[in-house]
Amino acid sequence: MNVSWRKAKSWGLALFITMAVEMFLVSQCFAKDTHGRPKKYDHTTSPGVTLNVTDKEVVIDNGIVQITIANPEGYLTGVSYGGVHNILEYHNKEPNRGYWDVVWDTNGYNGTDWLLGSSFNVVVENEDQVEVSFTYKWDSTTWNTSQVWRIPANVDRRYIMLRGSSGFYAYSILDREEGMPAAKMYQIRSVYKLDEQRFHYMAISDDRQRTMPMPQDRDTGLPLAFKEAVLLTNPTNPDFRGEVDDKYQYSCEDKNNKVHGWISFDPQIGFWIITPTNEFRSAGPVKQDLTSHMFHSAHYAGYDVTMSFQQGEPWKKVFGPYYVYLNSISQDTDFHQLWDDAKHQMIQETRSWPYEFPLSNDFPKSVERGFVFGRLLIHDRYKLRTIMAGSYAWIGLAAPGVAGSWQTETKVHVGYQFWTRADRNGGFLIKGVHEGTYNLFGWVPGFIGDYVYIEDIIITQGSVIKLGNLVYEPLRNGPTLWQIGIPDRTALEFYVPQPSSLFVNKLYTDSDQNKFRQYGLWERYAELYPDNDLIYTVGQSDYHTDWFFAQVTRKAENNTYKPTTWQIIFALHDVIPSTNYTLRIALASATRSELQVRFNDPELTIPHFTTMVIGSDNAIARHGIHGIYRLFNVDVPSEWLCVGNNTIYLKQTKHESPFFGVMYDYIRFEGPPPTT
């Protein structure tokens, strides 16, 4: 519920002061660094921004960076910086250097729309800022008649350059009006192709950066199980011989995709994409994606996150702005400082969000947004009698729905989500929330399931909403008799094998946290279990070493595959008659799988429980340690159990592909509630 400004006065004043200090720090520019670090520019002494428009191109220049844009199409043809005339791949055709695209379909057509504009407009032009717009107005009279299909939406692509800024901002607005045809959108992204003769070093995080193979190395390599994976057999750099090149090995969760880019060694220049917020990305903070500038995709989630619009369904969304940041250092300086500087710039951009300078009426400024604060507590009566703090919980606002629905939310309430991480005491503050109606969602590492505060939270301009103490009671029927894994929504704690020596990415050979990114790990299962499937004995086995990270199919003759059945053996000293026990299975991933559960009889015709066929996240093939989180709760009548050893049979029945299978997050077996 909304609280009055009077009640929130002291707290709001403290927040205002904090935000003011942050904005002051962000606004500071520094003079030239004398210690070899990347140069910062002083807004007060930098030259003004200029705009030059011809029939064919639009050029924006602030004396630091110059960008050239096709007129009126809106794709980027050139970026000049640091003495380099064009750091984009100038050997490519102009439309294939810096562009947006949408993969989509409708009845009778599927393909890609490059969001090309048909009209150009200057939004603002002065010495401090230039903003330009390239628009396309969807025309119903050409629908089904043109040889060039266009997505049924109006398009507004924009570029912003500020005085003293070592880069530029970009964003797009897609607008479906009432009456437009049905359509599905599978992928929305922005792409920059850099000069391949200069930019060879890629950086995603502190521990994921390296010199990369050349495009021609893939052409001469050996294709593997899917087109994205190639074994480098004759690379231009012999150090890469025998390595696998696969773009999915460089994926990451959206919450971590704040800055990434490439470095040129001659001259030493960095090109970085900085995303100060995830609010315009789909499906929440742990949605995984390629480390390119994806706004929406089905990667690691499948068709569950497809944007599907009905005939006449209206919708509008702003994607961005994001910041394209360029930096440089002298040749005798350690090039890693370019990455360090990009991280520092990312922090400044994040503190500046929401930006005040974009001039679209569809992008709400700070005063047009609201914020929500509160504290999440946990009551798990079988873990601790007292209420405990929801330490480091993930808390977010998304479209109203059931617990966990945010994972597949892409367009309801436009598709914006607003997430934060609670502190150690469970306290949270969500800033910069658009006007609208939301539910509050969350989950806490170490506890099973999803939390939802189902009362509507209505955000208006300037809202200050205090939720107070919220209590999450994780699903629980009785005491834990045994458990496998850690409820953290991933399979990372389980056994991830070493890759085959034939398929190694050297970047990950010494990284326990990234072992799962190696190619071909699904084939290691049959090598480790050549005759029989996995058997796990509670009290004797260790899930770190004895539970394979994914229940995959088993390769057989003639490139066929067989289903696998895993066993969990556990002992019961007594069985309480006429009661229900509970089996909870939390899945971190599922790809076209059906998990059947049987107790003490593997040949039972009808399983005691089945998930039915679920999942299309493809995390096994794409080196992801999780996809969409799913929790299944199975009531287990005492008649299914016996005193002494019991066996649970987990059979994954679908076996048409080596990539069909599930990853477990956590399994718990609960006894019946104690009688009083």
Side-chain angles (χ1 to χ4, degrees), residues 593-627:
S593 301
E594 180 189 9
L595 184 63
Q596 296 181 352
V597 181
R598 293 173 173 85
F599 286 80
N600 292 321
D601 185 356
E603 304 302 326
L604 194 66
T605 303
I606 300 176
H608 289 117
F609 173 79
T610 176
T611 62
M612 308 300 288
V613 179
I614 56 172
S616 57
D617 58 39
N618 218 13
I620 293 171
R622 292 175 173 172
H623 326 297
I625 202 64
H626 72 87

Side-chain angles (χ1 to χ4, degrees), residues 315-420:
W315 173 81
K316 181 189 287 187
K317 188 171 184 179
V318 179
F319 294 93
Y322 62 88
Y323 185 39
V324 177
Y325 177 61
L326 296 108
N327 56 6
S328 62
I329 53 177
S330 62
Q331 290 299 114
D332 58 352
T333 305
D334 182 0
F335 71 90
H336 292 95
Q337 291 193 23
L338 293 169
W339 166 250
D340 293 337
D341 176 67
K343 289 191 299 179
H344 176 72
Q345 186 66 38
M346 177 270 293
I347 293 172
Q348 295 191 56
E349 298 297 323
T350 301
R351 288 175 176 170
S352 299
W353 189 267
Y355 297 138
E356 297 301 318
F357 51 81
L359 295 179
S360 169
N361 293 329
D362 296 308
F363 181 79
K365 308 299 188 293
S366 295
V367 296
E368 300 172 297
R369 302 183 181 217
F371 58 85
V372 177
F373 66 100
R375 186 181 183 213
L376 185 67
L377 305 173
I378 302 172
H379 184 210
D380 185 340
R381 62 187 184 279
Y382 289 101
K383 192 166 185 176
L384 189 67
R385 290 188 177 182
T386 59
I387 291 178
M388 66 189 85
S391 300
Y392 309 113
W394 282 97
I395 306 292
L397 295 171
V402 299
S405 61
W406 55 269
Q407 291 187 106
T408 55
E409 171 48 46
T410 60
K411 68 183 181 68
V412 177
H413 189 43
V414 189
Y416 296 106
Q417 295 190 22
F418 303 87
W419 288 84
T420 192

Side-chain angles (χ1 to χ4, degrees), residues 552-557 560-564 652-655:
V552 294
T553 56
R554 177 186 293 279
K555 189 173 184 178
E557 299 80 15
T560 60
Y561 300 89
K562 295 180 178 180
T564 55
Q652 199 296 99
T653 66
K654 298 299 178 181
H655 56 95

Side-chain angles (χ1 to χ4, degrees), residues 45 72 126 309 328 422 531:
T45 60
N126 58 55
F309 298 97
S328 62
D531 301 316

Side-chain angles (χ1 to χ4, degrees), residues 47-317:
V49 188
T50 62
L51 174 66
N52 184 34
V53 180
T54 69
D55 292 340
K56 296 294 185 181
E57 62 184 24
V58 175
V59 179
I60 311 175
D61 192 336
N62 67 356
I64 306 167
V65 177
Q66 180 188 93
I67 61 174
T68 303
I69 313 162
N71 185 11
E73 295 85 358
Y75 52 79
L76 205 65
T77 63
V79 177
S80 298
Y81 172 77
V84 179
H85 175 66
N86 194 355
I87 66 174
L88 298 182
E89 183 47 70
Y90 53 86
H91 292 106
N92 284 351
K93 294 181 179 179
E94 288 191 347
N96 196 32
R97 298 178 187 174
Y99 59 87
W100 291 63
D101 64 16
V102 176
V103 178
W104 70 290
D105 72 23
T106 188
N107 293 331
Y109 174 82
N110 64 81
T112 301
D113 190 316
W114 306 96
L115 302 186
L116 300 179
S118 58
S119 179
F120 165 71
N121 180 52
V122 178
V123 179
V124 65
E125 179 186 2
N126 58 55
E127 289 190 342
D128 291 325
Q129 176 175 344
V130 167
E131 180 170 348
V132 294
S133 168
F134 301 84
T135 58
Y136 165 77
K137 181 74 172 177
W138 185 79
D139 185 357
S140 62
T141 63
T142 61
W143 183 252
N144 280 344
T145 63
S146 173
Q147 295 297 315
V148 180
W149 286 72
R150 297 302 305 266
I151 190 169
N154 300 323
V155 177
D156 185 353
R157 292 174 52 182
R158 298 197 177 196
Y159 298 89
I160 302 171
M161 186 172 286
L162 304 179
R163 187 175 195 164
S165 172
S166 188
F168 60 94
Y169 298 83
Y171 66 111
S172 285
I173 305 164
L174 299 184
D175 178 15
R176 279 182 53 89
E177 298 176 344
E178 292 184 1
M180 288 185 174
K184 294 180 180 179
M185 300 185 196
Y186 302 102
Q187 177 176 289
I188 303 172
R189 67 177 182 174
S190 176
V191 177
Y192 298 92
K193 295 185 177 179
L194 305 180
D195 182 357
E196 65 182 49
Q197 300 303 315
R198 296 181 185 274
F199 290 88
H200 299 157
Y201 191 90
M202 184 177 72
I204 301 169
S205 64
D206 287 338
D207 61 345
R208 298 176 68 195
Q209 48 183 273
R210 64 172 299 183
T211 301
M212 296 293 290
M214 298 291 287
Q216 56 266 36
D217 296 339
R218 293 181 56 85
D219 297 335
T220 60
L222 177 66
L224 298 175
F226 43 87
K227 65 180 182 180
E228 292 85 359
V230 173
L231 182 66
L232 304 179
T233 57
N234 188 29
T236 52
N237 183 343
D239 291 342
F240 295 143
R241 183 174 290 111
E243 286 201 51
V244 173
D245 182 64
D246 181 353
K247 66 181 181 180
Y248 290 112
Q249 292 180 320
Y250 303 100
S251 300
C252 74
E253 294 176 341
D254 282 344
K255 66 181 176 62
N256 298 324
N257 192 3
K258 295 181 178 180
V259 55
H260 67 275
W262 290 73
I263 290 174
S264 161
F265 292 135
D266 186 17
Q268 293 202 135
I269 291 175
F271 182 98
W272 311 100
I273 303 294
I274 295 177
T275 310
T277 179
N278 282 313
E279 67 182 44
F280 42 74
R281 285 177 170 150
S282 297
V286 293
K287 166 72 168 62
Q288 293 176 104
D289 221 322
L290 296 170
T291 318
S292 56
H293 209 69
M294 289 287 187
F295 298 104
H296 169 78
S297 85
H299 295 131
Y300 302 95
Y303 293 109
D304 288 328
V305 298
T306 297
M307 288 186 185
S308 183
F309 298 97
Q310 303 301 313
Q311 174 72 32
E313 182 180 356
W315 173 81
K316 181 189 287 187
K317 188 171 184 179

Side-chain angles (χ1 to χ4, degrees), residues 20-33:
V21 171
E22 287 185 349
M23 291 301 295
F24 173 79
L25 292 174
V26 168
S27 67
Q28 302 308 296
C29 296
F30 300 93
K32 182 176 180 180
D33 195 308

Side-chain angles (χ1 to χ4, degrees), residues 476-490:
R476 171 76 77 169
N477 291 334
T480 299
L481 300 184
W482 52 263
Q483 58 190 344
I484 300 172
I486 302 169
D488 61 358
R489 308 173 85 90
T490 81

